Amino acid sequence: MTPVPAPPTIADIARAAEVSTATVSHALNGTGRIGEATRRRVRAVATALGYGAPGAGPRTRTLGLAVTTFAGSPWNYVAVSYFSRWLTAATAAAHARGYALTTLPADRGAQTLWHNLAVDGMLLLDSPDGDPVLRALRARGIPVVFDGRPTAPRPEDTWVDNDHAATTREVLDHLAASGARRIALHGGFGGEYYTRAVTEAYERWCADHARPPLPVRFDPHDAPGHAFDEAFAAGAADAVYSLYDPGGRQTLAAAARHGLRVPQDLLIVCASEDPAYETTEPPVSTVTLHPERIAEAAVAALVARVEAPAEAVPGGCTVPAGLLVRASSRQPRS
């Protein structure tokens, strides 16, 4: 039996056309700022090589996506605004490059799914220290790109992340400028790099400004915000920076139970992509991590690792975060 030749890849077209893989991707998908002559030449080369032609073999390759912060736990990460926006953007980015995107559930253990998963590459979001999913993927030699710096990166690893230290300083400086003197950090829940990086930056800021750190442990099931009871009853905190999506609502609930007015008595900032924070009473200031930009960059990096591993650039790519200031953290007018 005559073996069926493998279909041409973007890397094959790039070599034949003497351009970069990024140029090929832009030419085939009608994106980017490249000259029309280059676009026509790349497409002609792709046609000559049989890219996407009938009989050329299966064209659709597959990328996988998993949120592994709590791998094995049955939680619905798609209901979290950050992940849902990330997933939508990643799907569009994968499809634009000729790839399907498979989203893996969080409640599947590493002992079954991850050792048999048929994908060309994996996107891992919030991979924690000792991640069993990452271990299984590395053992199989499947290319991986991370959203969030891995806790113990290898020299060849690629990740996309925000500058959490700079963002934390921006938030704390903003709260201090609005009059806060005792800022609590509502976090310490996950084992991924994000939680550790923000916590370390918070502790450094407190030391630099001679402020006592006020950690309040986040609990995803603490809708009434009982974690704040001790700090609010004793007047220990006059501002809160919450690191997770439900944290702003928990803080508002706790403030209402303790008779604290926002922002007169308590300032609040929450890291969240949830648009509902625009309509709370008062509207809550949020930190956006720009999931769409991170997803696009991560998919592009993973496709490069899959199709042209020798040309893939390891290390981190930084996407700036943004502080969206609303009434909850503005200095009250006298």
Side-chain angles (χ1 to χ4, degrees):
M1 180 180 292
T2 303
V4 178
T9 67
I10 287 178
D12 296 327
I13 300 169
R15 283 190 290 270
E18 299 182 345
V19 295
S20 69
T21 54
T23 298
V24 173
S25 179
H26 288 315
L28 297 180
N29 294 305
T31 59
R33 296 181 179 180
I34 61 175
E36 187 57 34
T38 299
R39 195 184 304 274
R40 286 198 301 268
R41 178 166 62 86
V42 169
R43 289 179 173 176
V45 170
T47 299
L49 292 177
Y51 183 84
R59 278 304 313 139
T60 302
R61 304 174 83 174
T62 303
L63 306 179
L65 180 151
V67 180
T68 59
T69 309
F70 315 111
S73 300
W75 69 292
N76 181 20
Y77 59 83
V78 179
V80 178
S81 295
Y82 177 86
F83 296 121
S84 64
R85 288 173 56 177
W86 208 105
L87 174 58
T88 299
T91 301
H95 290 179
R97 292 165 173 80
Y99 285 76
L101 183 66
T102 298
T103 306
L104 284 305
D107 59 351
R108 297 291 296 272
Q111 299 304 315
T112 54
L113 176 66
W114 307 107
H115 291 284
N116 301 301
L117 186 63
V119 294
D120 296 286
M122 277 292 299
L123 298 157
L124 288 190
L125 284 68
D126 288 348
S127 177
D129 191 24
D131 188 353
V133 174
L134 176 58
R135 232 177 7 251
L137 296 173
R138 289 199 195 279
R140 295 180 56 199
I142 294 177
V144 174
V145 168
F146 302 85
D147 168 15
R149 184 181 185 273
T151 56
R154 295 182 177 182
E156 68 273 17
D157 283 343
T158 300
W159 65 89
V160 185
D161 204 356
N162 310 101
D163 186 338
H164 298 300
T167 303
T168 301
R169 289 193 301 270
E170 181 183 4
V171 171
L172 299 176
D173 287 344
H174 163 68
L175 289 170
S178 294
R181 295 294 176 265
R182 303 176 302 280
I183 305 171
L185 182 69
H186 188 207
F189 178 68
E192 75 291 343
Y193 177 78
Y194 164 70
T195 298
R196 188 176 71 191
V198 175
T199 301
E200 291 176 354
Y202 167 77
E203 291 173 348
R204 285 195 300 271
W205 187 93
C206 288
D208 291 342
H209 293 77
R211 308 281 182 89
L214 296 170
V216 176
R217 187 162 183 82
F218 172 81
D219 178 347
H221 306 294
D222 183 22
H226 287 301
F228 294 101
D229 285 351
E230 182 178 349
F232 286 179
D238 60 8
V240 173
Y241 178 28
S242 187
L243 302 191
Y244 308 109
D245 193 85
R249 288 182 289 274
Q250 294 180 4
T251 311
L252 287 172
R257 287 190 299 102
H258 286 270
L260 297 176
R261 300 167 301 165
V262 179
Q264 291 88 344
D265 305 316
L266 183 73
L267 304 172
I268 302 174
V269 175
C270 179
S272 175
E273 311 298 334
D274 189 348
Y277 279 120
E278 299 176 20
T279 58
T280 54
E281 183 55 45
V284 172
S285 298
T286 55
V287 170
T288 174
L289 304 180
H290 294 301
E292 290 86 359
R293 299 182 196 175
I294 292 180
E296 169 65 32
V299 169
L302 183 56
V303 169
R305 291 185 71 89
V306 169
E307 298 193 351
E311 301 174 21
V313 179
C317 169
T318 301
V319 172
L323 173 60
L324 306 177
V325 177
R326 301 189 180 103
S328 73
S329 67
R330 290 195 181 104
Q331 185 174 20
R333 294 178 181 177
S334 49

